[in-house]
Each structure stands twice: as structure tokens, then as C-alpha cells.
Amino acid sequence: MRLAVLSDIHSNLEALESVLSDIDRRSVDDIICLGDIVGYGADPNACLELIRSRARFSVLGNHDQAVNVVEERIHFNPSAERAVEWTASLLDENAREYLASLPYRVSFENLLFVHSAPKDPTAWEYVFSGFEARLFGRYFAERICFIGHSHVPGMYALDASVRGYDPTQRYLINVGSVGQPRDGDWRCSYGLLDTVAGSYENIRLEYDVETAMKKIVASRLPKNLAGRLKAGL
Ligand code: ZN
């Protein structure tokens, strides 16, 4: 099985299209989405339609939740809050219901998928290090837990002595962000797991970042949301 794992698309249509066309060239069996389909970017409806039609399933991200649950926006900075308000005003009832229907966690083929962290996926915790990943390791039984949320890709073996990817070992893997990477590299990030070849790869791809930035400015979203795309921050 070849599985593409996408997270944190954040309404960036140019980035999502770049990732989907790369996936189409790699004979992938299934696409899984780890949430934050919307928020920050200028194309929430188009990104939702693409994920709904292409992904086997998606879990719920904190920005997806904040579209419907206004109290959740208290944790957001002013730009994120403005973007979620703008997003909510653009989505129809059907799109809102889809976001409200997304689960916090899905277990599939001995793999766990959550947006933030496996201990309590409703708490929106961040995992930034191998040390933190190993603390979370006791909270899932599957071989791999896939996460997003920090927008920083990383592969953490639960056994600290393991180097690289070994299909007999257990991991917590952050696939990074499709639409707003924050590791200083502006290119889209997603994960590709091949259970037959026994490999995992973090894929980085260029996309039309200038168009995505222009659309943010034209939509009167906060300008810093455009600038950070180019900086990868
Ligand atoms: Zn996010």
C-alpha cells in the first residue's frame, strides 16, 4: 500500500494542486488528510472540494473546528482569527456540516491519524522533538501515529536508538504542511508511506507561491499571511 498523508492545507489551492499532481504521478493507493483544510489562505471552498473528492478520509484540525465553534478562536492570533472569520463567511451550510462531521482521530491499517497529538487530540498539543514524541508514544498502540499541526516535518522513532526509517519500528511522524510550511523552507510538504517497499519519504515540492500570495492580498486577508508563505514561516 502506498499512502500519501497531507496536513495543514490552509486554503492554499496552488499548493494543494501541486501536491495532488505529484501524487498522481506516483500511483498512490490512498490519500489521508490530517486536517486544517481551511484557515489563512484564499481558497477554502476549492480546497474543501478537492479534499472531499480525493481523500479517503480527513480528521479535524483546530482551524476546521474554529469555523463552527467560535469559542475556539480565543486561542488564535489576530491574523488567524480574521482569516477564520473570513472563511466562515464564505462557506455554505454543506461545507460547514462537512467540517463539523470530521473525527478527531482515525485508526486505519495499524496507523493512527490525528491533527495534533495522540494523547488527547482535542487539546491541540504540539510535538517538536524526539523527546516529546517518545512521551506521547504510550498513548497509541498503532505502529505509526501521523500528525501535523506544527507545520514542521519530522520523523521520530519511539526507540531513541533507531536511526532512519525501519518498517519493523514504531514512529510518530509529522508530515509537515501543504499550504503554510514553517520550517524556513517555503515548498509544500507531505508524507509518502510505502508498506510494500518498507519506506517513508517526506516530499517537498515547489508551487506557484506568488499567485497564492496575490490572492491573499486581493481577498483583503491580513498581508502578513501572504508574506509568511514566501518565507516558509
Ligand atoms: Zn495548521
Side-chain angles (χ1 to χ4, degrees):
M1 178 181 65
R2 274 163 86 82
L3 207 59
V5 188
L6 280 51
S7 192
D8 297 278
I9 293 145
H10 285 297
S11 302
N12 186 336
L13 181 62
E14 288 69 33
L16 180 58
E17 285 177 335
S18 172
V19 165
L20 290 174
S21 54
D22 187 65
I23 287 170
D24 289 340
R25 288 192 288 272
R26 293 177 186 265
S27 59
V28 163
D29 298 301
D30 269 316
I31 299 171
I32 311 291
C33 176
L34 298 179
D36 276 5
I37 303 165
V38 299
Y40 296 130
D43 284 299
N45 280 303
C47 290
L48 274 168
E49 274 169 36
L50 275 173
I51 289 298
R52 291 179 77 169
S53 64
R54 298 292 310 272
R56 183 180 179 106
F57 59 81
S58 178
V59 296
L60 179 75
N62 52 318
H63 287 253
D64 306 322
Q65 181 185 50
V67 166
N68 287 311
V69 186
V70 175
E71 307 84 75
E72 286 294 321
R73 299 177 194 174
I74 195 164
H75 307 293
F76 284 22
N77 66 45
S79 297
E81 188 182 2
R82 171 75 195 107
V84 79
E85 279 168 10
W86 180 87
T87 302
S89 74
L90 229 68
L91 298 183
D92 64 19
E93 198 55 35
N94 187 273
R96 281 166 164 270
E97 278 173 16
Y98 170 72
L99 291 175
S101 77
L102 297 177
Y104 283 103
R105 65 198 298 285
V106 174
S107 180
F108 167 72
E109 300 274 340
N110 200 21
L111 307 166
L112 179 64
F113 300 90
V114 297
H115 180 67
S116 55
K119 181 183 171 189
D120 176 4
T122 71
W124 311 122
E125 294 169 291
Y126 289 95
V127 183
F128 281 112
S129 68
F131 177 76
E132 289 171 335
R134 286 186 278 282
L135 290 179
F136 281 113
R138 75 179 73 161
Y139 297 100
F140 64 98
E142 293 82 353
R143 193 173 71 78
I144 303 174
C145 174
F146 282 100
I147 61 168
H149 193 45
S150 71
H151 300 205
V152 176
M155 181 175 72
Y156 309 106
L158 299 191
D159 176 345
S161 68
V162 172
R163 294 282 167 270
Y165 183 77
D166 174 342
T168 67
Q169 295 294 320
R170 299 185 64 222
Y171 294 86
L172 194 138
I173 295 178
N174 192 317
V175 300
S177 169
V178 168
Q180 195 199 74
R182 292 180 190 162
D183 60 344
D185 179 346
W186 63 274
R187 297 173 302 162
C188 323
S189 173
Y190 78 97
L192 190 64
L193 179 76
D194 189 325
T195 59
V196 177
S199 65
Y200 173 77
E201 200 182 340
N202 177 230
I203 294 168
R204 302 302 293 255
L205 285 171
E206 296 192 355
Y207 73 99
D208 184 359
V209 64
E210 302 291 341
T211 297
M213 290 168 69
K214 278 183 200 146
K215 284 182 177 176
I216 286 172
V217 174
S219 301
R220 299 184 179 278
L221 285 159
K223 284 195 176 68
N224 65 314
L225 296 178
R228 69 186 300 177
L229 290 185
K230 193 72 177 283
L233 294 172

